[in-house]
């Protein structure tokens, strides 16, 4: 098959001033995309900001012979997001790809977590994913083409000590994806999620240097590039790190039909083995499929 190319395509990568986003932006540009490099340039906990981080990556792309423009807005800021879209449309007239990558951390156990720590993390990851998607959505639908990648995490899908805010936010973006994959299908707007593991400022200090050395962001980016391509699936959660790639899925067991009326908690308790039995478990593509199973079981199927 031919190489994956993005000639004539326009991409926006949020949080692309460093870490994973920078790598995604560089690789899209290498493969022909024109790129809006967004980055607030703040610290890891979301404080401060400068447009220098985005500009540096723009300079790198230009040095490689690519085309890019910088945007120093916060993905949570309505005016800043509108400006980012306007920059892309005024300069290149279309937006084909959006990688919602910007993120921060405010790790604390729940006992120590202030509401502000929860709110800010939700703002950046959830609203900071939603707002750029909302802003590009009708443009992509109107041109009958769009590729969106949201950034989730094993912390959300499986849990991680001290990350209740981050974990909640990273699952929220999957909920967003699950509905938008349905709403975008008719217009060839595909949306997928990347669940990365990479050595960036977010993970430095968490693992020994020899492990981090094997986790360069470059190992995640090929997965993201595929999810931005014409052949991309939709609604997939691709996990990537250190050169390993896998799919994460939510499975539902076949379960048990206990009948109608007069049901007791004890019957649920006593059926726990059947409820949790893994034989015949399935991943559904939409919520309605689960409902169909209930009715099938009710009918004795
Ligand atoms: P990073 O800290 O190097 O990059 C995040 C970038 O987002 C920074 O350049 C930062 O300035 C920017 N940013 C933060 N808030 C912003 C805002 N409001 N508006 C615009 N830009 C903003 O971290 P890394 O590791 O590259 O993270 C990228 C994404 O991958 C994040 O969503 C993170 O949660 C996710 N992730 C990373 C993992 C890892 O192992 N590094 C694991 C799982 C998920």
């Amino acid at each position: 098959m031919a190489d994956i190319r993005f000639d004539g395509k326009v991409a926006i990568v949020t949080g692309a001033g460093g870490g994973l986003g920078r790598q995604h932006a560089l690789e899209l540009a290498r493969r022909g995309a024109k790129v809006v490099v967004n980055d607030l340039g703040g610290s890891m906990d979301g404080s401060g900001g400068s447009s220098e981080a985005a500009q540096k990556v723009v300079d790198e792309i230009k040095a490689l012979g690519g085309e890019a423009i910088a945007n120093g807005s916060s993905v949570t800021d309505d005016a800043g997001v509108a400006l980012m879209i306007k920059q892309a449309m005024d300069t290149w007239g279309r937006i084909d790809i959006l990688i919602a990558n910007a993120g921060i951390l405010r790790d604390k156990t729940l006992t120590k977590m202030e509401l502000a720590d929860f709110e800010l993390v939700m703002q950046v990851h959830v609203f900071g994913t939603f707002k750029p998607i909302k802003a590009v959505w009708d443009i992509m639908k109107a041109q009958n083409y769009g590729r969106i990648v949201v950034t989730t995490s094993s912390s959300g899908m499986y849990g991680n000590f001290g990350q209740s805010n981050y974990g909640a936010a990273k699952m929220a973006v999957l909920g967003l994806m699950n509905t938008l994959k349905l709403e975008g299908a008719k217009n060839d707007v595909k949306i997928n999620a990347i669940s990365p593991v990479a050595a960036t400022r977010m993970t430095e200090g968490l693992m020994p240097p020899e492990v981090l050395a094997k986790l360069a962001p470059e190992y995640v980016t090929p997965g993201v590039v595929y999810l931005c391509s014409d052949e991309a699936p939709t609604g997939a959660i691709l996990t990537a790190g250190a050169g390993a790639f896998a799919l994460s899925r939510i499975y539902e067991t076949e379960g048990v039909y206990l009948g109608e009326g007069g049901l007791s908690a004890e019957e649920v308790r006593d059926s726990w083995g059947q409820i949790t039995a893994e034989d015949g478990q399935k991943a559904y593509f939409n919520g309605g499929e689960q409902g169909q199973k209930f009715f099938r079981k009710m009918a004795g199927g």
Side-chain angles (χ1 to χ4, degrees):
M1 275 210 270
D3 287 352
I4 294 173
R5 295 284 312 171
F6 300 102
D7 305 290
K9 295 215 164 95
V10 177
I12 295 176
V13 187
T14 71
L20 286 157
R22 169 179 165 273
Q23 205 53 48
H24 304 336
L26 282 168
E27 188 58 22
L28 289 179
R30 266 192 212 107
R31 290 171 180 267
K34 302 171 172 89
V35 185
V36 179
V37 177
N38 158 271
D39 205 293
L40 173 67
S43 62
M44 205 171 70
D45 70 358
S47 53
S50 113
S51 59
E52 262 172 55
Q55 188 56 50
K56 262 180 82 176
V57 176
V58 166
D59 294 343
E60 282 185 84
I61 290 173
K62 287 189 172 160
L64 292 167
E67 280 185 66
I69 47 181
N71 173 281
S73 310
S74 170
V75 286
T76 61
D77 175 42
D78 294 315
V81 170
L83 173 67
M84 179 168 85
I85 305 308
K86 186 173 163 16
Q87 281 177 289
M89 292 304 283
D90 287 355
T91 315
W92 297 308
R94 54 186 295 122
I95 298 165
D96 302 280
I97 296 163
L98 168 68
I99 302 176
N101 163 82
I104 60 165
L105 287 180
R106 290 234 170 159
D107 292 0
K108 281 171 195 167
T109 57
L110 191 62
T111 300
K112 293 189 184 134
M113 189 172 295
E114 306 283 339
L115 188 59
D117 299 318
F118 191 83
E119 273 181 354
L120 189 66
V121 167
M122 292 299 275
Q123 273 294 331
V124 174
H125 291 276
V126 185
F127 288 81
T129 295
F130 174 78
K131 287 181 179 184
I133 292 179
K134 170 76 179 155
V136 300
W137 191 251
D138 287 347
I139 295 170
M140 289 181 172
K141 276 179 71 182
Q143 72 197 10
N144 282 315
Y145 189 87
R147 297 290 180 265
I148 298 170
V149 178
V150 301
T151 307
T152 185
S153 168
S154 59
S155 301
M157 293 190 290
Y158 311 125
N160 201 17
F161 193 92
Q163 291 195 320
S164 58
N165 50 1
Y166 183 76
K170 287 307 200 186
M171 274 307 262
V173 301
L174 294 182
L176 186 61
M177 174 189 81
N178 284 335
T179 284
L180 297 185
K181 79 183 177 199
L182 304 174
E183 295 184 9
K186 196 170 76 172
N187 299 98
D188 195 15
V189 179
K190 295 188 171 163
I191 174 162
N192 294 285
I194 186 77
S195 176
V197 180
T200 64
R201 70 178 185 173
M202 262 194 198
T203 45
E204 76 189 8
L206 292 184
M207 289 172 256
E210 59 278 16
V211 176
L212 289 172
K214 300 216 180 328
L215 288 173
E218 286 89 321
Y219 291 124
V220 172
T221 294
V224 173
V225 167
Y226 169 62
L227 296 178
C228 293
S229 72
D230 290 351
E231 296 87 2
T234 197
I237 306 166
L238 179 64
T239 65
F245 296 87
L247 194 74
S248 286
R249 269 202 190 122
I250 295 177
Y251 284 94
E252 181 164 313
T253 62
E254 173 60 16
V256 63
Y257 179 62
L258 296 176
E260 284 174 79
L263 283 171
S264 67
E266 288 75 17
E267 281 177 86
V268 176
R269 177 196 63 196
D270 298 342
S271 308
W272 198 246
Q274 272 174 289
I275 291 170
T276 58
E278 290 174 9
D279 292 358
Q281 65 184 7
K282 278 183 82 169
Y284 296 118
F285 194 70
N286 61 55
E289 289 177 4
Q290 183 204 50
Q292 284 165 20
K293 180 182 70 183
F294 287 173
F295 287 111
R296 169 170 58 75
K297 293 189 85 64
M298 220 164 85

